[in-house]
Structure formats: structure tokens, C-alpha cells
Amino acid sequence: MKKIVQNLLFVFSILLVLPINIQAIETEKAENTALFKIGRSKDANEIYYTIKTTADGNLDLLYPVNIYWIKNTKGGAIEPLTRIQNTFAYGLKFLKLTTEKADFQFVSYSKRTFSLRKTKTGNFKVFTKANGTEVEVESIFIQIDGGTFWLPKIPKVELHARIPEGGEPVVEIIKP
């Protein structure tokens, strides 16, 4: 009887740990396949943008980009954007969409256009212009200094990117 109890405790302990390990694997996969991410000064949570393609490697014309949270404040849990976040803040508005290229803007900021397209190596990346030069987007950081849920006070946004050919880092400060 003691052996059965020990075996059951062992199995239950593995089952308790398993979901955490699966979540960690999914979080690591998301971080490694991201087109870019958005971080905010508000907390450690991040919004990830990953590519969605068809079986033949073309852009999915219905949903070419997956957008979701990695909630670092909740142990790396992956959560979808809410409808409000997708519609008014972090969602994307596609201006032109083909199986090879997607031009888009953020729903909350129409002053800048981004282009999702394949590089010379055949991988999809996101590009925009920073200080008049085309750059490959790596991350965006939003400084939030108070305000309200609907009208946050955002004094600056940092665009972190690289020049495609040389790989030199570029940081552009945007004052919205």
C-alpha cells in the first residue's frame, strides 16, 4: 500500500509540473519566432507579433499576423489581446495584403506604415523607415506616464531596429 501511495504521489507531482514546462516551451517558442514585440513601461508584460503562413509558406490572407500577450507578471502565460486592445491599441490595420507582402499600420497610430515581406534568405520580417532609412523592426517600447485606460499619457515610443544590410542597430524616438 505504501508503494502505491508513493507511486501516485510521484505521478501527481509530474502532472503538476508538466503544464508549467509546456507553458515555458510555448513562451520560448513565441519569443524565438516573433516578428517583433512591444514592451511597455507599465509592467513586464509584452505583446508579440508572429507570422502566420499557409502550408506552402505564403502569408495567410485572413490572419497574416498572430498577436498575443506574454504575461511575464503571470509566469509567462500566453493570452490573446482583448477585443478593445485589438481594436483601439495594439491591433493592425492591413492596407495592402498579398501572399508575399503585407503593408500595415497600428490601429492606434496611422502616421507610420510597416511592411511584412520576405528577406533575401526567404524569412518574413517587418520593415519601416526610421530617420529616412529602411530598417528591420526588432521591438517597440512604449513609455506610459499615467493618463487613463482610454487616454494613456505616452511621451515617447522607442523603435528598436537594424539596418538590413549592415546589421547596425537603430533606435528612433517617436513623440506621438
Side-chain angles (χ1 to χ4, degrees):
M1 183 68 164
K2 186 177 180 183
K3 184 80 168 168
I4 293 172
V5 170
Q6 286 176 332
N7 287 340
L8 285 174
L9 286 174
F10 177 73
V11 169
F12 285 131
S13 67
I14 288 177
L15 290 175
L16 288 174
V17 173
L18 188 60
I20 294 169
N21 290 338
I22 289 172
Q23 184 68 48
I25 291 167
E26 289 299 316
T27 300
E28 183 178 330
K29 180 181 171 189
E31 291 170 350
N32 290 334
T33 61
L35 293 166
F36 65 94
K37 66 180 178 178
I38 293 180
R40 307 166 312 144
S41 62
K42 188 174 179 176
D43 55 37
N45 298 330
E46 298 172 310
I47 302 128
Y48 277 77
Y49 296 75
T50 59
I51 188 77
K52 186 172 179 194
T53 57
T54 60
D56 57 357
N58 292 320
L59 286 176
D60 182 312
L61 294 177
L62 291 177
Y63 300 102
V65 177
N66 292 315
I67 309 169
Y68 51 87
W69 288 97
I70 293 187
K71 297 281 188 153
N72 294 313
T73 58
K74 295 181 180 178
I78 297 174
E79 296 180 11
L81 294 181
T82 66
R83 175 172 265 175
I84 290 173
Q85 293 164 343
N86 198 44
T87 304
F88 297 105
Y90 306 110
L92 303 178
K93 175 184 172 188
F94 289 94
L95 308 172
K96 184 177 180 183
L97 181 58
T98 69
T99 58
E100 296 291 320
K101 182 181 175 187
D103 293 334
F104 65 89
Q105 297 171 335
F106 285 93
V107 294
S108 58
Y109 192 74
S110 63
K111 294 180 183 178
R112 173 142 341 202
T113 299
F114 296 82
S115 180
L116 170 61
R117 65 177 190 268
K118 284 187 179 179
T119 63
K120 292 175 185 175
T121 60
N123 298 320
F124 280 100
K125 299 287 181 178
V126 173
F127 299 89
T128 193
K129 292 224 178 207
N131 303 320
T133 303
E134 184 174 69
V135 294
E136 180 184 319
V137 178
E138 292 183 334
S139 65
I140 297 171
F141 180 78
I142 303 171
Q143 181 69 41
I144 301 172
D145 291 344
T148 65
F149 175 79
W150 288 106
L151 294 170
K153 184 178 176 188
I154 300 174
K156 72 174 182 174
V157 175
E158 296 176 8
L159 173 70
H160 295 261
R162 293 205 171 276
I163 295 176
E165 295 81 33
E168 298 170 33
V170 174
V171 177
E172 180 184 14
I173 305 298
I174 302 164
K175 306 268 183 180

